[in-house]
Amino acid sequence: MEPSTETNKEEEEQVVTPWEVAGKDGGKIDYDKLIDRFGCQRIDQSLIQRVERLTSLPAHAFLRRGVFFAHRDLTEVLDGYEKGEKFYLYTGRGPSSEALHLGHLIPFMFTKYLQDAFKVPLVIQLTDDEKFLWKNLTIDECQRLARENAKDIIACGFDISKTFIFSDFNYVGGAFYRNMVEVAKRVTYNQAVGIFGFTGEDHIGKVSFPPVQAVPSFPSSFPHLFSGKENLRCLIPCAIDQDPYFRMTRDVAPRIGYHKPALIESLFFPALQGETGKMSASDPNSAIYVTDSAKDIKNKVNRHAFSGGQDSVEKHRQLGANLEVDIPVKYLSFFLEDDAELEHIKEEYGAGRMLTGEVKQRLVQVLTELVERHRAARANVTEEMVDAFMAVRPLPHMFD
Ligand code: TYM
């Protein structure tokens, strides 16, 4: 366990920080409690319909199905958009491993939809410094992983004329650093301990990091993009584990003359073993990676995906599957695009007319297709493309 989260654990029983996600007594995450504790809002049907009206597009499945379930100030961003005021998107990745797992893809797939639907610019932060500070990796290794992860991110299909990807080690300085220091001066050590759970044993590198993730929320951190547009609003898609960084940012923003960034936040894509938190990087069998082969996917799903089906076929036909705890159905509800087919599977499986093996077989197909598509897209990403996305340059067509 990270020593830095112990205080949170005692007080709150379930732990959700950028570094640890664990349900109470090893159980499920209680997202209602989390919304209350963090002070965000639930995304309701009327907000989803408003997004559809404003974009003239059906809402992304992640929005329709409640994967992105919470927000902060999304209404304000949409109010402005309706009046013709654009905004920009900001998301990121901490490059701590060679390959992304399916959970990591979720915010990027959703951000791609938002970029296309609203026709807005996007900045993507690669926190290679964060991973050096938190993990047992060298700076060189973190920088290498940042570039490797950038390839996976580019493979999600972002528009190069609207997207700037940067690594902290390469980009921090100038206007970005000025904003970092403005933020740092306004957060006390006690506040940082309260928000992030740091202890006296944590090195000061960790304590001083949060402003780095905070300031991409301010347009003035990117003079080559937003010079003269300092009033632009920022919308951040991420899973809810990143919320502490942005609670801190939102607290400071008005005090230094900036808008509070808005957020749109997702649930966690669960581990194969069950819905008790995020997937674990240290257990390769807990997650499907974008580098997994068709055979790996089949083995992992068949051997490790927690089933809500009954022990014997007779009992299953009689009682049906418990869909609440069933991982194959949970995974399909993220990645099976066809709403009608998903409903059909839930109905048949829940009533015991469909068996776990059949649901798993369909899931293996869906995930294999998704991973194969990603692999093919990534294979087409060249070093030159990475350089082009990461070049500090103006984006003259970013709002077209
Ligand atoms: P990282 O690399 O841990 O995660 C990258 C993104 O993936 C989300 N995520 C998940 N989403 C759904 N299900 C999961 N199981 C799951 N695991 C991770 C994370 O919330 C994140 O959106 N410090 C950050 C990097 C960062 C960032 C940002 C993220 C810098 N600026 C702005 C979001 C927004 C990190 O280490 O993410």
Side-chain angles (χ1 to χ4, degrees):
M1 188 179 59
E2 289 273 345
S4 58
T5 52
E6 252 164 13
T7 26
N8 273 0
K9 189 161 245 171
E10 279 160 19
E11 280 166 21
E12 304 290 347
E13 293 167 319
Q14 71 172 352
V15 185
V16 175
T17 72
W19 311 289
E20 191 188 0
V21 174
K24 183 182 170 190
D25 302 328
K28 278 191 185 188
I29 301 294
D30 183 336
Y31 288 103
D32 286 325
K33 266 209 182 128
L34 211 55
I35 282 189
D36 276 354
R37 193 179 112 209
F38 285 1
C40 13
Q41 263 84 51
R42 215 169 235 290
I43 295 179
D44 61 15
Q45 210 46 44
S46 70
L47 196 52
I48 297 174
Q49 284 164 357
R50 190 162 179 221
V51 169
E52 292 188 323
R53 268 202 315 279
L54 285 173
T55 58
S56 308
L57 283 174
H60 192 284
F62 291 163
L63 203 50
R64 290 200 308 272
R65 296 181 188 163
V67 171
F68 278 79
F69 74 110
H71 76 100
R72 293 174 185 273
D73 287 351
L74 179 60
T75 318
E76 279 75 357
V77 170
L78 297 182
D79 288 347
Y81 190 81
E82 200 154 24
K83 287 189 265 167
E85 294 162 21
K86 293 264 181 150
F87 58 92
Y88 74 102
L89 295 160
Y90 157 41
T91 193
R93 155 82 182 145
S96 56
S97 62
E98 201 78 40
L100 275 62
H101 58 53
L102 294 184
H104 293 132
L105 281 189
I106 287 168
F108 292 106
M109 291 168 78
F110 190 65
T111 303
K112 147 97 179 128
Y113 147 77
L114 291 174
Q115 177 178 64
D116 291 348
F118 288 98
K119 303 185 175 55
V120 287
L122 161 66
V123 297
I124 300 176
Q125 179 178 43
L126 302 172
T127 51
D128 39 13
D129 51 349
E130 179 190 19
K131 293 303 145 179
F132 170 69
L133 291 168
W134 262 270
K135 305 276 175 181
N136 191 17
L137 296 168
T138 63
I139 291 184
D140 282 345
E141 183 63 356
C142 292
Q143 288 196 282
R144 189 186 70 77
L145 291 172
R147 260 187 96 83
E148 286 309 303
N149 287 183
K151 292 178 189 163
D152 284 298
I153 293 170
I154 293 167
C156 293
F158 294 107
D159 179 348
I160 194 163
S161 72
K162 296 183 166 65
T163 307
F164 173 52
I165 304 179
F166 64 98
S167 106
D168 289 339
F169 281 126
N170 290 336
Y171 185 70
V172 172
F176 192 101
Y177 185 60
R178 285 171 58 130
N179 278 336
M180 276 173 51
V181 175
E182 292 278 7
V183 171
K185 193 175 178 179
R186 287 168 181 85
V187 183
T188 66
Y189 177 69
N190 284 342
Q191 284 169 330
V193 167
I195 298 170
F196 298 102
F198 296 130
T199 70
E201 306 309 311
D202 283 314
H203 59 68
I204 60 172
K206 290 186 182 181
V207 184
S208 62
F209 173 75
V212 187
Q213 186 156 333
V215 304
S217 314
F218 309 138
S220 63
S221 299
F222 305 100
H224 61 288
L225 298 177
F226 303 133
S227 181
K229 297 189 178 68
E230 282 76 14
N231 226 7
L232 208 59
R233 282 188 186 270
C234 172
L235 174 64
I236 306 171
C238 58
I240 199 163
D241 61 332
Q242 302 297 311
D243 190 81
Y245 283 119
F246 302 117
R247 249 181 292 151
M248 182 196 82
T249 312
R250 286 169 53 85
D251 181 56
V252 173
R255 293 193 272 144
I256 53 176
Y258 297 132
H259 285 303
K260 294 181 177 191
L263 285 120
I264 183 158
E265 299 181 317
S266 76
L267 314 164
F268 304 114
F269 185 69
L272 278 163
Q273 284 74 7
E275 216 181 341
T276 52
K278 283 202 301 184
M279 284 162 291
S280 158
S282 53
D283 177 4
N285 284 328
S286 72
I288 310 270
Y289 292 86
V290 295
T291 45
D292 282 348
S293 67
K295 197 166 154 235
D296 294 332
I297 295 175
K298 193 170 170 193
N299 283 339
K300 284 187 184 182
V301 168
N302 287 337
R303 290 195 196 141
H304 301 288
F306 187 83
S307 165
Q310 307 296 335
D311 301 341
S312 67
V313 175
E314 294 69 39
K315 223 168 127 194
H316 186 82
R317 296 278 184 218
Q318 196 190 345
L319 300 173
N322 178 357
L323 301 186
E324 276 304 298
V325 298
D326 190 84
I327 285 294
V329 160
K330 199 63 61 175
Y331 275 27
L332 284 171
S333 69
F334 280 79
F335 291 118
L336 177 63
E337 278 167 26
D338 185 335
D339 288 341
E341 190 188 351
L342 181 63
E343 272 324 297
H344 176 76
I345 291 175
K346 282 184 174 170
E347 222 173 276
E348 294 298 297
Y349 188 38
R353 288 188 293 272
M354 210 171 175
L355 300 175
T356 299
E358 298 169 79
V359 181
K360 284 192 170 180
Q361 201 182 353
R362 183 67 182 115
L363 177 64
V364 169
Q365 270 175 357
V366 169
L367 296 185
T368 307
E369 272 172 38
L370 175 81
V371 168
E372 286 301 330
R373 221 177 322 140
H374 182 85
R375 203 195 323 273
R378 193 190 194 277
N380 286 326
V381 179
T382 59
E383 294 298 330
E384 291 70 32
M385 280 164 78
V386 177
D387 290 337
F389 269 95
M390 297 185 74
V392 179
R393 68 209 191 274
L395 298 176
H397 302 294
M398 63 189 170
F399 292 115
D400 294 355

